[in-house]
Amino acid sequence: MVKKTFAGPMYLAGFIIFFVIILYTYTGEWLSWSRKAAEEAEAVAAIRCSGHGRAYLDGLVLSGNEDHPVCECNSCYGGLDCSQFLSDCAADANSGDPYFLEPFWMSHAESSAILVAGWHRMGYRYSDGSYISELLVKHIHKLHDMVGNAVTDGSYIVFGAGSAQLLNAAVYALSLSPSSAPAKVVTTTPYYAMYKMQTQLFNSLDYRFEGDTSLWKNNLDNSTRFIEFVTSPNNPDGMLNKAVLDGPNVKAIYDHAYYWPHFTAIPAPADEDLMLFTISKLTGHAGTRFGWAVIKDEAVYQRMIAYTTLNTMGVSRDAQLRVLKLLNFVLEEEEGRELFQFGYKTMTDRWIKLKEILSLSKRFSLQQIAPQYCSFFQKIREPSPAYAWLKCEREEDKDCYRILRAANIIGREGSMFSAEDRYVRLSLIKSQDDFEILADRLMKLVAEEQGHELLQTSSSS
Amino acid sequence: MVKKTFAGPMYLAGFIIFFVIILYTYTGEWLSWSRKAAEEAEAVAAIRCSGHGRAYLDGLVLSGNEDHPVCECNSCYGGLDCSQFLSDCAADANSGDPYFLEPFWMSHAESSAILVAGWHRMGYRYSDGSYISELLVKHIHKLHDMVGNAVTDGSYIVFGAGSAQLLNAAVYALSLSPSSAPAKVVTTTPYYAMYKMQTQLFNSLDYRFEGDTSLWKNNLDNSTRFIEFVTSPNNPDGMLNKAVLDGPNVKAIYDHAYYWPHFTAIPAPADEDLMLFTISKLTGHAGTRFGWAVIKDEAVYQRMIAYTTLNTMGVSRDAQLRVLKLLNFVLEEEEGRELFQFGYKTMTDRWIKLKEILSLSKRFSLQQIAPQYCSFFQKIREPSPAYAWLKCEREEDKDCYRILRAANIIGREGSMFSAEDRYVRLSLIKSQDDFEILADRLMKLVAEEQGHELLQTSSSS
């Protein structure tokens, strides 16, 4: 009898201990101060937005009965939960927002999240006295080694708020000279408008934007200094450009924003004196504003450091932390490959579909990119450019943007790239919704063209 | 008997349910993908660094048996856990790192932490198409209303990577004119070196740095355009400066980085055409690189937007998220007051101690700041400047920096502020350790002076 009354509580206590162990194992350590932030993030992530949008921690908050962030919908979706398809809306293929990688990070939520403590890096400098995280520099070297897209051994790294900040930092660094005449900043058409707009904005005594390289190719003299922007792959057309000008007074800035396996074959590691990269088109985190320059010459490096120091006192330490976490992920052998596989697959699928649609058209054509051996995938791979560089082929279709606009498609005018308006850039790196709506609109446009031709054929026969 | 065998498990089940409810209540919701990040952050925060340093999530990692971030120690502390006092080291009072607020955020860990999901704001734009969080703009208006340090109703807000980026953005915006002569950028000695260095860096056709306002005060003509930097409170000396130049061609940029109750009385809300603020000296998050401009004129606002767009495509969305969380905290009535009380108390304590030490000296003097009515605290308050502007009074002590350096104190030379080297700026906003070592070194220096005087008096008597 005594034995029996003792066994009951013993049994109970044993069970409770077992249960606590199970719970502890399942939930990990007890969290204290970080729990609230984690709960907030999960609550926001749980707002599903019907798969056609997402809610953010800093989204505008519904003020009413329910006080939580609102869904930000993909274009052509609306309603509080993005469930309404807005059938008449325009397919917006203008911007280079890299949302094609968003689903990738959503499915790798655990390994890409960071919790930032309130006292994280309040000061200006890292422990080595610089504005640049040494750990992140190491990661960047490893990244290029792993991808094989750039030789960085022995080179210096400078960070910028996106590669945008580094464009002018590089122009500044390369233009300094005892010579009084400003350096001529040039590039090859079609080109990314930022080069021109930014160079003109600063209106410097040291450099001037002087347009297309073709104006200068056979016009080099010994006294004029040139700074040539070379974009490879090129924005808008995806070509693996090389410098056009060559000479002792010519310096090149290689913009390699798109030189990643998502968008292009990597025939060999780039090995130029000054190369720019950005996280925006690698992991898709354009909003974080983080880019880097790989520089061979120490004096150029020092000048770019001086520029970024006086311009913004370096890059946000919060942005650097975020990028560190993302690169940590990419540098894990398998995960890294998975990112590039995902990026490449998404982009080729889109390109194949686009080509298929336009193969039926005589009115519109796409740039030609040949399949090429890629040292990263170790195989010949199909093209998968970030943008379609669409041409309106008909003589009378001089304003291709307007023609697409009438078909409810928003592209970016050729003239924005200093090219003919017979061309339009269509962004292929936005969300899957964006791409599908674009494809749908293009299909209709091509179908109309064919219906029209059929009509003409039958009426002329 | 049947009843009894049934009661055992029932009793057990009830207990388990009760236990689960207790656990659930204690631990909140179960976390899934966010848990790992939260655990990582707590593990790093748990590295104590003996109270003389801190470990960061992105700190350099010990590679050895234990793979965790290393402590980053306050100056004069060393060793793996910052427990070693390095008695011979220099008191570093050079930089403006605002670590004085670090303990505040450590003690408000829960309400200042954020968890950033891997897919947070990957795109370039907020839902309104801008690079600027509308919610954060609203917070900034509320903040100025609450503190009463600036009139912002009807004004425009532009964000920058710290106020650093906004200095040149403002110069750019104010200098545009059909006139061909560059605008003269001027300020009043002693002044923050950044104005000069940054303006000269960009070497623009539109503006030139032209030194001290005193050169131009009685020299204004109708054709010359001036842009005057007015720093209030002034860096280095804490004075509530007003514009010196006045005329139809004079525009002022008010740098109000230090116009917060930590550092100065707020006699009245500032109400200038163009005012700059920064989070660095408000919450102490200098590393986040976030500042804002308050602008009355729409055309000036548009130009500053154009500048920040072309320079960096806006401010890191991660920095904006962090600032939103911090301002959320400050805007809570009680917490906000607590931050300013803490900041004010810390800074007055330091100032009182410094004054006490130097009151015994004839060799060194401090700037004079009068107690003044503060509309925020609604009382007359004591001075609490961010920096001491120390003067070496002896005729022969022309190089005050060198004299302090010999006493193991690192200040910033007067010449860095275009003032005489008889002056040195000493930073009072670093960590408590930094301040105490500074105070200790100054005490020794003053004691030596007195010992010397005593010796002189006794030998001459």
Side-chain angles (χ1 to χ4, degrees), chain B residues 37-58:
Chain B
E39 283 173 5
E40 281 169 6
E42 294 212 2
V44 170
I47 303 172
R48 305 293 347 165
C49 308
S50 315
H52 298 296
R54 75 296 294 158
Y56 294 121
L57 210 48
D58 60 354

Side-chain angles (χ1 to χ4, degrees), chain A residues 12 23 27 32 34-35 42 97 114 116 118 122 124 198 281 285-289 310 312 317-318 322, chain B residues 12 23 27 32 34-35 42 97 114 116 118 122 124 198 281 285-289 310 312 317-318 322:
Chain A
L12 185 66
L23 261 177
T27 59
S32 67
S34 71
R35 170 167 283 280
E42 292 213 3
D97 288 293
I114 41 171
V116 187
M122 295 175 66
Y124 288 99
Q198 200 187 63
K281 303 302 189 291
H285 292 79
T288 295
R289 311 305 310 123
L310 290 176
T312 56
R317 316 315 175 242
D318 299 86
R322 187 107 189 267
Chain B
L12 184 66
L23 260 177
T27 59
S32 67
S34 71
R35 169 168 285 279
E42 294 212 2
D97 288 292
I114 42 171
V116 187
M122 295 175 65
Y124 289 99
Q198 200 187 63
K281 303 302 190 292
H285 292 80
T288 294
R289 312 305 311 123
L310 291 176
T312 57
R317 316 317 176 242
D318 298 86
R322 186 107 191 267

Side-chain angles (χ1 to χ4, degrees), chain B residues 144-304:
Chain B
H144 287 299
D145 280 353
M146 172 196 156
V147 178
N149 67 337
V151 177
T152 66
D153 286 357
S155 288
Y156 302 93
I157 307 277
V158 174
F159 296 168
S163 53
Q165 187 183 21
L166 295 169
L167 301 174
N168 192 249
V171 168
Y172 164 82
L174 296 177
S175 70
L176 281 194
S177 132
S179 143
S180 63
K184 292 189 194 312
V185 178
V186 295
T187 187
T188 304
T189 304
Y191 59 82
Y192 180 39
M194 188 65 129
Y195 305 139
K196 178 180 179 173
M197 291 166 77
Q198 200 187 63
T199 307
Q200 289 180 339
L201 175 94
F202 288 108
N203 199 18
S204 167
L205 285 154
D206 301 319
Y207 48 82
R208 270 184 79 83
F209 192 79
E210 297 277 5
D212 193 274
T213 47
S214 63
L215 299 169
W216 306 102
K217 199 175 172 182
N218 302 312
N219 221 350
L220 293 181
D221 58 57
N222 278 336
S223 62
T224 314
R225 296 171 304 129
F226 285 91
I227 297 168
E228 181 181 352
F229 276 111
V230 185
T231 323
S232 177
N234 193 35
N235 173 3
D237 62 11
M239 299 298 140
L240 288 173
N241 284 350
K242 299 266 172 219
V244 169
L245 304 186
D246 184 29
N249 297 321
V250 179
K251 312 262 185 202
I253 299 168
Y254 274 81
D255 182 344
H256 282 317
Y258 298 90
Y259 200 48
W260 300 104
H262 315 314
F263 310 112
T264 177
I266 308 291
D271 190 15
E272 308 295 339
D273 288 348
L274 204 170
M275 305 185 280
L276 305 181
F277 294 89
T278 167
I279 200 81
S280 305
K281 303 302 190 292
L282 163 61
T283 64
H285 292 80
T288 294
R289 312 305 311 123
F290 184 86
W292 64 96
V294 179
I295 307 152
K296 286 195 180 159
D297 185 72
E298 198 194 336
V300 172
Y301 159 71
Q302 293 293 359
R303 278 183 229 140
M304 286 184 73

Side-chain angles (χ1 to χ4, degrees), chain A residues 267-289:
Chain A
D271 190 17
E272 308 295 340
D273 288 349
L274 205 171
M275 305 185 279
L276 305 181
F277 294 89
T278 166
I279 200 81
S280 306
K281 303 302 189 291
L282 163 61
T283 64
H285 292 79
T288 295
R289 311 305 310 123

Side-chain angles (χ1 to χ4, degrees), chain B residues 122-137:
Chain B
M122 295 175 65
Y124 289 99
R125 291 170 191 280
Y126 288 90
S127 57
D128 65 353
S130 81
Y131 294 155
I132 284 181
S133 158
E134 198 184 327
L135 200 57
L136 187 47
V137 167

Side-chain angles (χ1 to χ4, degrees), chain B residues 393-412:
Chain B
E393 294 283 353
R394 285 187 194 158
E395 175 56 30
E396 67 271 27
D397 288 352
K398 288 190 171 69
D399 187 351
C400 196
Y401 174 83
R402 202 180 47 77
I403 285 157
L404 292 180
R405 194 66 193 80
N408 237 347
I409 297 168
I410 303 173
R412 190 172 286 183

